[in-house]
Each structure stands twice: as C-alpha cells, then as structure tokens.
Amino acid sequence: MGSRAGSTDDGHWSSESTLALQIAHNRDARGLQGVIFTRDDRAGEGKLSSRLGLVTEAVEAPAGMDLYAYLVAQLSKGGKADYVIVDEAQFLAPEQIDQLARIVDDLGLDVFAFGITTDFRTKLFPGSQRLIELADRLEQLQVEALCWCGARATHNARTVCGDMVVEGAQVVVGDVNRPAEEIGYEVLCRRHHRKRMTSSASRSGTLSPDVLPVNHA
C-alpha cells in the first residue's frame, strides 16, 4: 500500500475515535505496530478513547511538540512504527500537520488523521485547515449524526447549562455526556445552529432573543 496522509472527518464527535481504534486493532492483528498521537482526549492525557468505552494508550501531542522528530527518535532507538494514527487532529498546530506530511514523504509511513473541521462558531480549526490543504485524501465518515429535529447534523454547538454559546476559547474540552450545568457539545443542523436552538431549548420552546423574527412596518 502506498504511503499517504489522510483526514477522515464527519463534522462532529460521533465515531472518529472508534474508527481510529478499529484501524489500530486491525493492523495490530496483522503484526503491524503503530504510533498513536492524540490531543485533549476526553479520557485524559495520553489516551485514545471512544464513547463505546474503548480506551488505548497513546502519545499526547501538546503544542510545540515536533511529531516528526519524536518518531525519528523512537526509530533511532530501535523502535518500530509501521503506521501513524492521529486523533483529535483539529487541535494540532499547522506546523504539526506539516510534520505529519513529512512523516509520509520522508519516512514512507501511512498517516491516518481523524478530526472535525469546524469549531462551535463554524470557523475552521487552524489544524484542520492545514490538513485539508495537505492531505492526499479526505474522507467523510459514513456514520451520520442527526440533529434533535431529525435532520442531518452538520454543526457543533457548545453549551453551558444547556444553552448554546458562541463566544469563548476555541478549544475547551467537553463531552456530550456531561451534566447540563457543565460545558458540553451538541450536534445540530445548520438551521438550528443558526437559531441557537439546542434540544433543551426546543423543549422549553425558547429562542435566543437576537434570532427572533422581526416585523417591518
């Protein structure tokens, strides 16, 4: 198989980590050894987890870490790497994405990068933008997420106390399973993301004041 740099993205947090774990398992079963990088996983530092309860050890990739240099150092010490998996790739810096491309081009290894493209404000993550620019192949996950209304979910919403927020730091670790009073995330269709109507807001029948219809005289 030819080496490639790839991005698998579904626009939401639904099954990217599960697929990353499946790829690792399938290759491990064939006797291949991989290096897994991750950043800010919900299970904690140095972990790759899915909401199905699967967890494996990974290498935490903080800001400033040179992924190419790390891999070269491991290989120089006698370590083995047949492939590389990167989860939460959207959190990486653009220069770290460049390092992944160098792993493909200079070391001849397959790199499978998983992540989402846009943040809760519908803005591209810098890492995702660079990955789109450099990846040999982009694939969208086939597992489709649905908005609470039943339409296809295309946007990520950040919630605090169940209410959608559109301001704040781009990266705040949260999960869909957290209590409502904590920071969480919900996937919405574009219509309800634009109206800031989460599932809890729909139950209360309220809309954000700045998106109410305006009658013109």
Side-chain angles (χ1 to χ4, degrees):
M1 179 168 59
S3 299
R4 65 182 181 271
S7 167
T8 304
D9 165 73
D10 61 352
H12 51 79
W13 285 275
S14 68
S15 57
E16 60 179 69
S17 297
T18 301
L19 183 55
L21 287 164
Q22 181 181 346
I23 286 177
H25 173 76
N26 290 344
R27 279 157 179 74
D28 289 348
R30 291 165 49 194
L32 302 176
Q33 295 183 24
V35 174
I36 301 175
F37 292 109
T38 190
R39 174 92 174 267
D40 293 336
D41 188 274
R42 66 178 69 86
E45 183 174 327
K47 303 288 184 181
L48 170 58
S49 68
S50 77
R51 284 197 291 275
L52 297 179
L54 304 173
V55 182
T56 192
E57 296 298 319
V59 178
E60 188 74 13
M65 178 181 181
D66 188 324
L67 307 184
Y68 176 83
Y70 174 89
L71 198 57
V72 169
Q74 296 302 306
L75 295 173
S76 298
K77 292 187 292 187
K80 183 180 178 183
D82 298 302
Y83 64 92
V84 174
I85 288 176
V86 184
D87 196 35
E88 307 291 3
Q90 72 274 7
F91 295 147
L92 298 182
E95 56 268 24
Q96 290 175 310
I97 302 299
D98 288 340
Q99 293 157 13
L100 294 179
R102 189 179 179 191
I103 289 172
V104 173
D105 296 338
D106 294 357
L107 301 182
L109 300 180
D110 287 338
V111 173
F112 303 91
F114 299 83
I116 59 175
T117 53
T118 58
D119 63 16
F120 69 105
R121 301 165 299 184
T122 70
K123 303 295 184 182
L124 280 171
F125 285 97
S128 299
Q129 178 178 334
R130 189 59 179 153
L131 188 57
I132 291 170
E133 294 167 347
L134 291 182
D136 296 318
R137 190 171 74 192
L138 300 173
E139 296 180 4
Q140 186 175 26
L141 294 187
Q142 298 304 308
V143 178
E144 185 175 63
L146 299 178
C147 177
W148 60 264
C149 69
R152 180 172 179 266
T154 55
H155 291 64
N156 298 298
R158 180 183 294 172
T159 60
V160 178
C161 298
D163 295 327
M164 179 175 162
V165 297
V166 294
E167 296 181 354
Q170 187 176 51
V171 178
V172 176
V173 178
D175 200 358
V176 295
N177 296 322
R178 291 194 175 192
E181 64 271 13
E182 297 184 16
I183 294 175
Y185 291 91
E186 181 177 349
V187 289
L188 301 172
C189 64
R190 184 182 65 239
R191 174 170 174 259
H192 287 124
H193 188 279
R194 182 170 52 82
K195 292 187 174 184
R196 304 184 194 177
M197 182 173 268
T198 63
S199 57
S200 62
S202 71
R203 289 192 294 269
S204 64
T206 59
L207 283 173
S208 176
D210 61 351
V211 294
L212 292 175
V214 177
N215 292 324
H216 297 282

